[in-house]
Amino acid sequence: MNEYIAEVIGTAILILFGGGVVANVSLKKSLAEGAGWFAIAFGWGLGVAMGVYAVGQFSGAHLNPAVTLGLAFNGDFEWVKVPGYMAAQVAGAFIGATLVWLHFLPHWKATDDQGAKLGVFSTGPAIPHNFSNLLSEFIGTFILVVGILFIGANDFTEGLNPFIVGMLIVAIGLSLGGTTGYAINPARDLGPRIAHFVLPISGKGKSNWGYSWIPILGPVLGGSFGGLFYRYIFSGEFHLMFWIMAALTVLCLAAAYLIDKKQTSLIQ
């Protein structure tokens, strides 16, 4: 199988399970309505594991632009393939979100809460605060990429690695996910958000594009820095980009802080 097609399929599987569990828990008249955060965290984790099992042998199953960047910065992936992998991941996420929409077709009309409908497709903050939200996505994605590299450095029974990666997603969701919904994956948020915007979802409301930059920028910074951190600290390979990415992260967080401060002053 072509590695780019594999990334499309693997990411679609990830979103079918991940978006599907959120729909199952959130949409009205679903038999799983109200099942809660544990169901969501495990649904996403098992979705990641299944996506990795499906296409890992063909593409390495990144399924996430932040992981692709992290591996590239760590020296484990060819930079020339990065744009194609990212495009494939966004396309796969869009397809997966479309399948979720089709699967739950009668439940959109039965659900009045526009926020619940949007939450099936994309993330949003529990408390809107640009600095904190960006930092949460940075930290979550940083530990995702470093964790994947930790897992890869250990020997497991053959075939167990994808499940362990899935459990890492569960751990991030249970421990860190309550602030922003733990996108930790630009494609996971952008592809389904585009699907929400273009699909004829009954009573869907707005797609909240004003927030969409945070689940893109935060994971990009966190994943990139995670790969560089592992390369510098654990592999002992100095790379100037470590300090460049650290400075860029500080600048972006400072800009988010200034945006928050300006918005607060306007409200007052």
Side-chain angles (χ1 to χ4, degrees):
M1 181 187 293
N2 176 278
E3 57 194 356
Y4 299 108
I5 298 300
E7 284 295 300
V8 171
I9 293 172
T11 310
I13 290 171
L14 160 63
I15 298 301
L16 178 61
F17 279 91
V21 71
V22 178
N24 234 4
V25 170
S26 302
L27 298 183
K28 293 296 181 182
K29 299 187 178 180
S30 162
L31 296 179
E33 183 184 354
W37 193 253
F38 273 85
I40 290 172
F42 274 92
W44 275 107
L46 294 174
V48 168
M50 187 55 63
V52 176
Y53 276 122
V55 302
Q57 61 184 312
F58 303 107
S59 68
H62 297 184
L63 316 184
N64 181 342
V67 171
T68 298
L69 285 169
L71 293 178
F73 275 118
N74 191 49
D76 293 331
F77 188 68
E78 302 172 66
W79 277 102
V80 69
K81 294 181 179 180
V82 170
Y85 264 55
M86 288 182 170
Q89 291 152 2
V90 174
F94 178 89
I95 292 169
T98 302
L99 292 174
V100 171
W101 169 64
L102 289 170
H103 184 85
F104 289 91
L105 202 56
H107 294 270
W108 306 108
K109 188 174 182 180
T111 304
D112 295 327
D113 188 344
Q114 295 179 347
K117 295 176 187 179
L118 178 58
V120 173
F121 294 88
S122 57
T123 60
I127 299 176
H129 188 259
N130 291 301
F131 174 82
S132 299
N133 302 154
L134 186 63
L135 183 60
S136 289
E137 287 294 332
F138 174 87
I139 293 171
T141 316
F142 171 85
I143 201 62
L144 168 65
V145 169
V146 172
I148 287 172
L149 292 170
F150 288 161
I151 291 166
N154 289 272
D155 293 325
F156 291 91
T157 301
E158 186 176 355
L160 189 60
N161 281 55
F163 179 76
I164 301 301
V165 172
M167 290 302 97
L168 172 61
I169 300 297
V170 173
I172 292 171
L174 292 178
S175 301
L176 306 173
T179 54
T180 60
Y182 69 116
I184 59 174
N185 181 341
R188 170 265 176 274
D189 193 272
L190 179 59
R193 196 181 296 271
I194 294 172
H196 179 272
F197 181 74
V198 302
L199 291 174
I201 303 165
S202 177
K204 64 181 178 180
K206 296 182 179 180
S207 302
N208 194 17
W209 288 105
Y211 177 77
S212 64
W213 65 276
I214 288 178
I216 294 174
L217 181 59
V220 164
L221 293 172
S224 299
F225 190 68
L228 289 163
F229 179 86
Y230 187 90
R231 185 174 186 176
Y232 184 25
I233 303 299
F234 288 89
S235 300
E237 298 179 32
F238 174 76
H239 198 293
L240 181 61
M241 279 302 300
F242 174 88
W243 298 108
I244 294 174
M245 188 58 63
L248 181 60
T249 298
V250 171
L251 287 173
C252 289
L253 288 169
Y257 175 81
L258 291 174
I259 292 171
D260 286 323
K261 191 172 182 180
K262 183 178 180 180
Q263 290 176 341
T264 301
S265 63
L266 289 174
I267 293 173
Q268 293 175 343

